[in-house]
Amino acid sequence: LFGSGTIAAVAVPESLPESAEVSLTCTSQALLYSADGTTAAAVEGVMDGYFDGYRSKELELSTIEGEFTNPSVISSALASTLGLELGDRLTMMIMDTEGRARPYLLTVRVIFASVYPQLDSHLIYVPLELVDGTNTWEILLAEGEDDASVLSAIRNEGIFARSYREIYSSAYRNIETSLSVMHLVLAVVAVLAAYFSSDIAESYTSRDEKDIKALLM
């Protein structure tokens, strides 16, 4: 949802599920300035409607309506770092493909709830025309779709494409490791709980053994 969708491709494939959402994007790096701070950020230029559809359903979006100069979308973690709220302005100094720095005045139009600060605390979305670079088509598949088969079909069309597992391999492995450790911890807790439950039951039974025999008689 945050970056490159389920699959990123250099062109729009023909063999896509009807439920797939396709968006043109462009990425770069920039420095962000506000009255309360400065930070480096990954910038993603996106089309209008990028945060509609699946993203609007899954992400907790806080939005302000109206016409704004270069409306931007940031995470709550980045907003906290720069001391920004909805409607506030910040400056973005971004590099173009010729190595020149270009300043833009942005307005915070949307803030989404930060869920993975290691990624989204340095991430900003701006209008596509502000970012100079190579465009990529993000393909966001519906939950339950077999992304591996869709990726294979795209590559069979001769289109270069990568899945989110390949693009964010380190983050993906980190999540897998975290889930494995969590499952291990839960298993240990379950075993200990079963042991202590049986131990307590045996203790109560031993303590009340005479009363239990009397009741049985």
Side-chain angles (χ1 to χ4, degrees), residues 1-186:
L1 291 171
F2 283 139
S4 303
T6 314
I7 297 171
V10 297
V12 181
E14 295 180 1
S15 55
L16 284 178
E18 292 184 2
S19 59
E21 294 181 1
V22 183
S23 304
L24 185 62
T25 65
C26 186
T27 58
S28 186
Q29 293 80 39
L31 290 176
L32 304 178
Y33 302 89
S34 73
D36 294 330
T38 304
T39 187
V43 181
E44 185 153 1
V46 296
M47 303 168 57
D48 290 339
Y50 182 81
F51 282 93
D52 297 340
Y54 298 136
R55 291 181 177 87
S56 66
K57 296 177 182 177
E58 297 294 335
L59 302 177
E60 297 179 20
L61 304 178
S62 300
T63 307
I64 186 172
E65 299 299 331
E67 296 294 329
F68 302 102
T69 302
N70 299 328
S72 62
V73 179
I74 62 176
S75 70
S76 57
L78 180 56
S80 177
T81 299
L82 297 179
L84 296 171
E85 296 181 356
L86 291 173
D88 288 350
R89 293 189 174 186
L90 69 154
T91 301
M92 176 179 70
M93 188 71 71
I94 190 171
M95 302 296 291
D96 62 18
T97 53
E98 297 180 4
R100 296 173 299 189
R102 296 182 179 274
Y104 291 101
L105 183 64
L106 308 177
T107 305
V108 179
R109 183 174 181 271
V110 178
I111 296 177
F112 60 86
S114 179
V115 295
Y116 199 157
Q118 291 88 340
L119 289 178
D120 57 46
S121 62
H122 297 280
L123 181 61
I124 184 170
Y125 295 87
V126 301
L128 183 63
E129 60 270 17
L130 301 187
V131 184
D132 187 17
T134 303
N135 291 335
T136 301
W137 291 95
E138 286 190 9
I139 302 163
L140 192 59
L141 301 180
E143 186 176 358
E145 288 280 357
D146 184 2
D147 57 291
S149 62
V150 175
L151 179 63
S152 178
I154 294 172
R155 288 173 173 171
N156 288 338
E157 292 183 30
I159 298 174
F160 177 74
R162 295 191 298 165
S163 71
Y164 71 94
R165 293 185 182 89
E166 297 169 324
I167 299 171
Y168 302 108
S169 57
S170 296
Y172 185 70
R173 286 196 301 270
N174 184 25
I175 292 172
E176 281 192 315
T177 302
S178 299
L179 289 174
S180 299
V181 171
M182 183 181 70
H183 291 155
L184 178 61
V185 170
L186 289 175

